[in-house]
Structure formats: structure tokens, C-alpha cells
């Protein structure tokens, strides 16, 4: 077992996972530093979600190592990994899984109250995050009364409310319209950067990946090299500098968009 570099908050080496006898990850390695945004790219079925589940301790690799802050996650027992996910990690799904009986602020405050924090303090912190994400006026509403983009921002606030070290975002903008994608992604990345939170973002959209500090591309469970996409920097600058939703956004969600990147197996 080889210790990871000191400057990597999250580090993985030679991950191997199979699903029903078929390879899901084959020898994948990566490292990401504190406060960085890492995009894990590739078409659907390429292994992105499996990689995020391994890195977050939800799934143990059959072979390979996962380290968080120089601590081996792959040797932890189930209860220790569960505490790690609760205390140090945040998770955002493609669809916002909110508790329908709870209001927006209660959904955001839920992780804090599950930790044993006082309801009043949890409510104040939840309202603060809802305000930062421009949905403070939705605090008392229940999920059924909210738009999809609003529900997704509530899910982002819930992931951020505990101030985790790492947020894992699995296709967080997939169900959203083009204009809402840019707004939601900008909300997540701005909040994470301002608080030094590392983000591991899975996406099949190459234009969204262009907004990250670094990217890891997967194809059939293997790391690959991708050809440089002309205009990616210009798009990133446009989204970062946009003053309102819809002025810039991620690319088309279709197979045609996925095919814009040419891939070759890395050496």
C-alpha cells in the first residue's frame, strides 16, 4: 500500500470494480487537491457513478486504494465509512431527493439535526444557505410547490450546509433545461470555491467539464485522453461572467453532444 501525495485531499490508485461479471472500472487512478473542482467525464455507462461511489466510500473497490486526507478509505469498516460520508462528504444526485413532508429549510437543515445540532441553530444555518443560493423565498414551501431548478438548488444547499470537505455531484444538471443548468452549476461552483470545498463532478457534457480545474475522462471503465475542444475556454468564461440565468449554459444533452469529444486509450 502506497501513501498518497500530501497535497491531495482525495486520491485513488488502480481501482477495479465489476458489475455482474462485466468491468465497471479498470485500473482508474486520480488525485484532487483541496478546493479543486474535478470533472469526471464520459458517456452514460462509462463508469462515472461507480467511480464517485468508490471515492465517497459507498462502494469498496475489488482492487485498488482510495485515500482521503492520507487516511485509507478502502480499509475502513462500514460504520466508519458511514460516519465519514455523514461528517466530511456531501452528495448531490441527478434528481433532487427531498423529503416531501418537509419544507425547503427543513430539508436543508436535516443533516445538521441528524448530527444532533439544535433545531434553532440548524434553521438559521439552513436559511443562510438558501439565501446564498437565491432561494430564500422558498424556505417555507414544500418540494411539490417548487420548480425542478429550485428543488435542485435546495439539494445543493443540503449538501453544502454541513461544510463538507468534498462534494460528489453525480450529473447534477442532467434533468434541467439549458438556462437552469448554467445557473445551478454556477451556484454550486461559486459556493464551493468560496468555502474551499473540493467538488468531484460527474458529467457527460463536455461543455460543463470545461468549467472544472481538471478533468478525468472515462470510456468503458478506463481512463482515456480527450482531444482539446476548441472554444471551451471561451464558453467557461462566458458562464462564469454571466449576470443572469440563460446568458450561457451547458451544451446539448444528446448523444450528438457526447460525441463531440474524440477519445483514445491512455498509455
Amino acid at each position: 500500500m502506497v501513501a498518497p501525495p500530501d497535497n491531495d485531499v482525495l486520491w485513488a490508485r488502480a481501482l477495479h470494480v465489476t458489475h455482474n461479471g462485466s468491468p465497471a472500472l479498470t485500473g482508474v487512478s486520480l488525485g484532487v487537491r483541496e478546493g479543486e473542482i474535478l470533472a469526471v467525464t464520459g458517456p452514460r455507462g462509462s463508469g462515472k457513478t461507480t467511480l464517485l461511489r468508490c471515492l465517497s466510500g459507498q462502494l469498496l473497490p475489488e482492487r485498488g486504494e482510495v485515500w482521503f486526507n492520507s487516511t485509507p478509505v478502502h480499509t475502513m469498516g462500514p460504520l466508519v465509512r458511514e460516519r465519514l460520508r455523514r461528517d466530511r462528504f456531501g452528495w448531490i444526485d441527478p434528481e433532487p431527493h427531498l423529503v416531501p413532508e418537509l419544507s425547503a429549510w427543513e430539508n436543508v437543515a436535516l443533516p445538521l439535526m441528524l448530527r444532533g445540532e439544535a433545531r434553532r441553530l440548524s434553521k438559521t444555518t439552513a436559511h443562510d444557505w438558501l439565501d446564498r443560493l437565491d432561494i430564500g423565498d422558498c424556505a417555507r414551501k414544500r418540494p411539490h410547490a417548487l420548480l425542478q431548478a429550485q428543488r435542485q438548488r435546495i439539494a445543493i444547499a443540503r449538501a453544502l450546509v454541513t461544510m463538507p470537505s468534498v462534494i460528489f455531484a453525480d450529473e447534477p444538471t442532467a434533468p434541467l433545461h439549458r438556462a437552469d443548468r448554467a445557473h445551478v452549476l454556477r451556484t454550486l461552483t461559486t459556493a464551493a470555491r468560496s468555502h474551499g470545498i473540493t467538488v468531484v463532478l460527474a458529467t457527460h457534457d463536455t461543455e460543463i467539464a470545461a468549467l472544472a480545474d481538471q478533468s478525468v475522462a472515462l470510456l468503458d471503465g478506463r481512463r482515456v485522453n480527450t482531444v482539446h475542444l476548441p472554444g471551451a475556454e471561451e464558453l467557461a468564461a462566458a458562464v462564469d461572467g454571466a449576470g443572469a440565468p440563460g446568458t450561457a449554459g451547458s451544451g446539448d444533452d444528446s448523444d450528438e453532444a457526447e460525441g463531440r469529444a474524440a477519445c483514445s486509450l491512455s498509455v
Side-chain angles (χ1 to χ4, degrees):
M1 190 161 59
V2 180
D6 291 337
N7 56 359
D8 282 345
V9 66
L10 197 64
W11 185 79
R13 177 177 177 270
L15 298 181
H16 289 260
V17 177
T18 58
H19 287 164
N20 299 321
S22 299
L25 293 178
T26 305
V28 175
S29 301
L30 60 85
V32 58
R33 298 181 180 183
E34 180 179 348
E36 279 190 333
I37 297 175
L38 168 69
V40 180
T41 67
R44 290 182 177 91
S46 60
K48 301 187 301 296
T49 298
T50 300
L51 178 57
L52 263 63
R53 292 185 66 210
C54 283
L55 295 175
S56 64
Q58 296 181 48
L59 176 67
L60 288 178
E62 293 157 22
R63 284 187 287 149
E65 304 171 11
V66 177
W67 296 71
F68 168 70
N69 280 343
S70 300
T71 301
V73 177
H74 56 285
T75 62
M76 294 178 178
L79 292 179
V80 178
R81 283 186 285 114
E82 183 178 340
R83 285 197 297 270
L84 177 67
R85 294 195 302 271
R86 181 192 65 197
D87 297 338
R88 306 299 299 275
F89 295 161
W91 184 275
I92 303 171
D93 278 310
E95 294 282 345
H97 298 298
L98 305 178
V99 181
E101 297 82 7
L102 300 181
S103 66
W105 81 258
E106 289 170 328
N107 268 283
V108 174
L110 188 59
L112 297 175
M113 291 190 283
L114 290 175
R115 282 183 173 185
E117 293 194 19
R119 179 180 175 87
R120 178 175 294 182
L121 178 59
S122 299
K123 182 177 181 179
T124 299
T125 307
H127 275 277
D128 181 43
W129 275 108
L130 289 171
D131 288 338
R132 294 183 197 185
L133 302 186
D134 298 325
I135 46 173
D137 57 342
C138 300
R140 295 184 178 275
K141 296 180 180 180
R142 294 187 178 181
H144 73 271
L146 300 171
L147 299 175
Q148 179 82 344
Q150 292 172 324
R151 293 196 296 269
Q152 191 69 325
R153 273 184 277 170
I154 290 168
I156 291 172
R158 184 178 59 188
L160 288 163
V161 73
T162 59
M163 293 295 291
S165 299
V166 184
I167 285 181
F168 299 92
D170 186 11
E171 299 276 9
T173 62
L176 302 179
H177 294 297
R178 184 185 181 95
D180 287 335
R181 289 180 192 174
H183 194 193
V184 167
L185 185 65
R186 188 166 56 248
T187 295
L188 170 61
T189 55
T190 300
R193 289 189 191 281
S194 64
H195 291 81
I197 298 173
T198 301
V199 177
V200 181
L201 169 70
T203 181
H204 66 274
D205 192 321
T206 54
E207 294 179 345
I208 289 178
L211 307 180
D213 298 306
Q214 62 165 314
S215 64
V216 168
L218 298 181
L219 184 65
D220 296 331
R222 296 178 181 271
R223 280 197 65 169
V224 298
N225 295 321
T226 56
V227 173
H228 172 71
L229 297 174
E233 292 82 358
E234 291 81 358
L235 176 78
V239 173
D240 284 340
T247 55
S250 63
D252 183 31
D253 182 69
S254 65
D255 289 339
E256 180 182 352
E258 294 172 4
R260 286 198 294 259
C263 297
S264 62
L265 287 178
S266 57
V267 178

